Short mmCIF file of all heavy atoms in Angstrom, two decimals:
data_model
loop_
_atom_site.label_atom_id
_atom_site.label_comp_id
_atom_site.label_asym_id
_atom_site.label_seq_id
_atom_site.Cartn_x
_atom_site.Cartn_y
_atom_site.Cartn_z
N THR A 15 -9.70 8.68 19.29
CA THR A 15 -9.34 8.86 20.70
C THR A 15 -10.59 8.77 21.57
O THR A 15 -11.71 9.02 21.11
CB THR A 15 -8.65 10.20 20.94
OG1 THR A 15 -9.55 11.27 20.64
CG2 THR A 15 -7.39 10.33 20.08
N ALA A 48 -4.70 4.47 38.69
CA ALA A 48 -4.48 3.27 39.51
C ALA A 48 -5.58 3.07 40.53
O ALA A 48 -5.60 2.06 41.24
CB ALA A 48 -3.13 3.36 40.21
N TYR A 82 -5.57 17.59 30.90
CA TYR A 82 -5.12 16.77 32.01
C TYR A 82 -6.31 16.18 32.75
O TYR A 82 -7.33 16.86 32.96
CB TYR A 82 -4.30 17.61 33.00
CG TYR A 82 -2.90 17.95 32.55
CD1 TYR A 82 -2.45 19.27 32.56
CD2 TYR A 82 -2.02 16.97 32.12
CE1 TYR A 82 -1.16 19.59 32.17
CE2 TYR A 82 -0.73 17.27 31.73
CZ TYR A 82 -0.31 18.59 31.74
OH TYR A 82 0.97 18.90 31.34
N PHE A 92 -6.45 2.32 17.00
CA PHE A 92 -5.68 2.38 15.75
C PHE A 92 -6.37 1.56 14.66
O PHE A 92 -6.75 0.40 14.87
CB PHE A 92 -4.27 1.82 15.97
CG PHE A 92 -3.41 2.66 16.89
CD1 PHE A 92 -3.47 2.48 18.26
CD2 PHE A 92 -2.55 3.62 16.38
CE1 PHE A 92 -2.68 3.24 19.13
CE2 PHE A 92 -1.75 4.39 17.23
CZ PHE A 92 -1.83 4.19 18.60
N ALA A 100 2.35 -4.80 16.78
CA ALA A 100 2.62 -6.04 17.51
C ALA A 100 3.11 -5.68 18.91
O ALA A 100 3.77 -4.65 19.10
CB ALA A 100 3.66 -6.87 16.78
N GLU A 120 12.80 -9.63 16.92
CA GLU A 120 12.60 -10.45 15.72
C GLU A 120 11.14 -10.88 15.60
O GLU A 120 10.53 -10.80 14.52
CB GLU A 120 13.51 -11.67 15.78
CG GLU A 120 13.37 -12.60 14.58
CD GLU A 120 14.25 -13.84 14.69
OE1 GLU A 120 15.10 -13.89 15.61
OE2 GLU A 120 14.08 -14.75 13.87
N SER A 148 10.10 -0.51 39.45
CA SER A 148 10.85 -1.76 39.36
C SER A 148 12.34 -1.59 39.61
O SER A 148 13.03 -2.55 39.98
CB SER A 148 10.66 -2.38 37.98
OG SER A 148 11.26 -1.55 36.98
N THR A 209 12.05 14.10 22.46
CA THR A 209 12.08 14.36 23.90
C THR A 209 12.49 15.80 24.13
O THR A 209 13.24 16.37 23.31
CB THR A 209 13.03 13.40 24.64
OG1 THR A 209 12.90 13.59 26.05
CG2 THR A 209 14.48 13.65 24.25
N TYR A 274 20.67 15.58 31.14
CA TYR A 274 19.57 14.64 31.27
C TYR A 274 19.12 14.62 32.73
O TYR A 274 19.89 14.23 33.62
CB TYR A 274 20.00 13.25 30.81
CG TYR A 274 20.35 13.21 29.34
CD1 TYR A 274 21.67 13.39 28.92
CD2 TYR A 274 19.37 13.02 28.37
CE1 TYR A 274 22.00 13.38 27.56
CE2 TYR A 274 19.68 13.00 27.03
CZ TYR A 274 21.00 13.17 26.63
OH TYR A 274 21.31 13.16 25.29
N PRO A 275 17.87 15.04 33.00
CA PRO A 275 17.39 15.12 34.38
C PRO A 275 17.43 13.78 35.10
O PRO A 275 17.13 12.74 34.53
CB PRO A 275 15.96 15.63 34.22
CG PRO A 275 15.95 16.35 32.91
CD PRO A 275 16.89 15.57 32.03
N ILE A 340 3.34 22.50 37.42
CA ILE A 340 2.20 23.29 36.95
C ILE A 340 1.21 23.53 38.08
O ILE A 340 0.66 24.64 38.23
CB ILE A 340 1.51 22.57 35.77
CG1 ILE A 340 2.44 22.50 34.57
CG2 ILE A 340 0.21 23.29 35.38
CD1 ILE A 340 1.95 21.59 33.46
N GLY A 344 0.99 27.27 38.47
CA GLY A 344 -0.14 27.70 37.67
C GLY A 344 0.12 27.59 36.18
O GLY A 344 1.18 27.14 35.74
#
Side-chain angles (χ1 to χ4, degrees):
T15 63
Y82 285 128
F92 293 86
E120 180 182 350
S148 66
T209 187
Y274 296 93
I340 294 169

